[in-house]
Amino acid sequence: MTTDRPVRETAIEADPRLPTIRITREFDAPVPQVYRAWTEPGLVGQWLGPKDLTTTFDHWDLRTGGSYRYRQLRDGREVASFYGSFHEARPAERLVQTFTYDGVPDGVSLDTVTFEDLGDGRTRVTVLGIVESLAARDMILASGMDRGVTEGYEQLDAVLRTLG
Amino acid sequence: MTTDRPVRETAIEADPRLPTIRITREFDAPVPQVYRAWTEPGLVGQWLGPKDLTTTFDHWDLRTGGSYRYRQLRDGREVASFYGSFHEARPAERLVQTFTYDGVPDGVSLDTVTFEDLGDGRTRVTVLGIVESLAARDMILASGMDRGVTEGYEQLDAVLRTLG
């Protein structure tokens, strides 16, 4: 695909002292559109990375007190599954959810997603994830999650253009 | 109440470096009974502290992917409310849940409760709570939560005797 828009950078930062990962990314779409693409399963399934995997949802009940479970497949074969609950959905503002990769069943991340209006139809999304130890955080960083996140947000750019 | 059983100590520990609170308490009852008293709303409502408050549940759907909301009252007047979701319920072994006090709506704790068989019909419960910053953790510690926790577990001792 050719585009005259610049490719946005995804920042993934690990706090040196706290077991957190902070992901920051800007999108060329207003907050309501980004929130919609972030929360409707028919749209989320189009962009979750990495690019060589497809996503199918067992369920996705995005509301305060709801939950989700989805699987990712390569060439039709499942390679990973994930589940969690939605602690709070504050539309167009903030999501708080839990996240577990079934391959590490005792690992749980508490993720807070913040949607910030930058003006000019642009949005900054910040995802702050916290786990129980620096060792667990470093294992997540070493898992290749950066490629999944970065490629996912590039696909989200494309989804947002379809909503424009 | 008189009893020949020793009063168990509740240990509440703050990690000097991580934004966690670890609560440890032993109970004179086997794991299945402690788990039952920890999870059935009709029993939870009997012991949640502090002692001068009563608890009413708006809902309590304890299962992986479930959620809860409850209020605490003094002399019939609401003084606090809390909500969260159950990330995972692993019966008689482990609970992972989120927790927010409505008075601090952006504050979220991720709490992992572990039930450990000590033999001789005794159980150790460990609650590891993590929040996003040391400042948030220290605010929780300064809130008087220690009295609520300690008094709650003393009431739980009494509930467990009724299940014996």
Side-chain angles (χ1 to χ4, degrees), chain A residues 18-36:
Chain A
L18 298 181
T20 61
I21 297 174
R22 185 184 302 270
I23 302 170
T24 313
R25 176 65 146 76
E26 293 180 17
F27 296 95
D28 291 318
V31 168
Q33 280 181 16
V34 177
Y35 187 82
R36 190 184 153 209

Side-chain angles (χ1 to χ4, degrees), chain B residues 2-76:
Chain B
T2 61
T3 171
D4 55 1
R5 292 184 179 82
V7 173
R8 297 284 183 186
E9 289 224 353
T10 299
I12 301 178
E13 300 164 281
D15 191 289
R17 287 178 302 272
L18 298 182
T20 61
I21 298 173
R22 185 184 302 270
I23 302 170
T24 312
R25 177 64 146 77
E26 293 180 16
F27 296 94
D28 291 319
V31 168
Q33 281 181 16
V34 177
Y35 187 82
R36 190 183 153 209
W38 207 277
T39 55
E40 290 185 12
L43 298 173
V44 177
Q46 291 179 39
W47 64 262
L48 274 183
K51 286 184 176 173
D52 59 336
L53 301 186
T54 56
T55 301
T56 63
F57 292 91
D58 294 347
H59 67 277
W60 179 272
D61 182 16
L62 193 142
R63 58 177 174 84
T64 297
S67 67
Y68 67 92
R69 175 177 280 280
Y70 62 85
R71 290 170 285 138
Q72 291 197 304
L73 306 102
R74 180 183 292 115
D75 302 327

Side-chain angles (χ1 to χ4, degrees), chain A residues 34-110:
Chain A
V34 177
Y35 187 82
R36 190 184 153 209
W38 207 277
T39 56
E40 290 185 13
L43 299 173
V44 176
Q46 291 179 39
W47 65 261
L48 275 182
K51 286 183 175 173
D52 59 336
L53 300 186
T54 57
T55 301
T56 64
F57 293 91
D58 294 345
H59 67 277
W60 179 271
D61 182 17
L62 193 142
R63 58 178 173 83
T64 297
S67 67
Y68 67 93
R69 174 177 281 282
Y70 63 84
R71 288 169 287 139
Q72 291 197 303
L73 307 103
R74 180 183 290 116
D75 303 326
R77 294 178 64 157
E78 182 175 323
V79 295
S81 59
F82 307 88
Y83 77 95
S85 55
F86 295 110
H87 173 75
E88 186 189 16
R90 208 183 288 177
E93 187 178 339
R94 176 180 146 106
L95 283 173
V96 183
Q97 64 188 81
T98 60
F99 177 89
T100 285
Y101 161 50
D102 279 312
V104 184
D106 284 356
V108 188
S109 176
L110 177 66

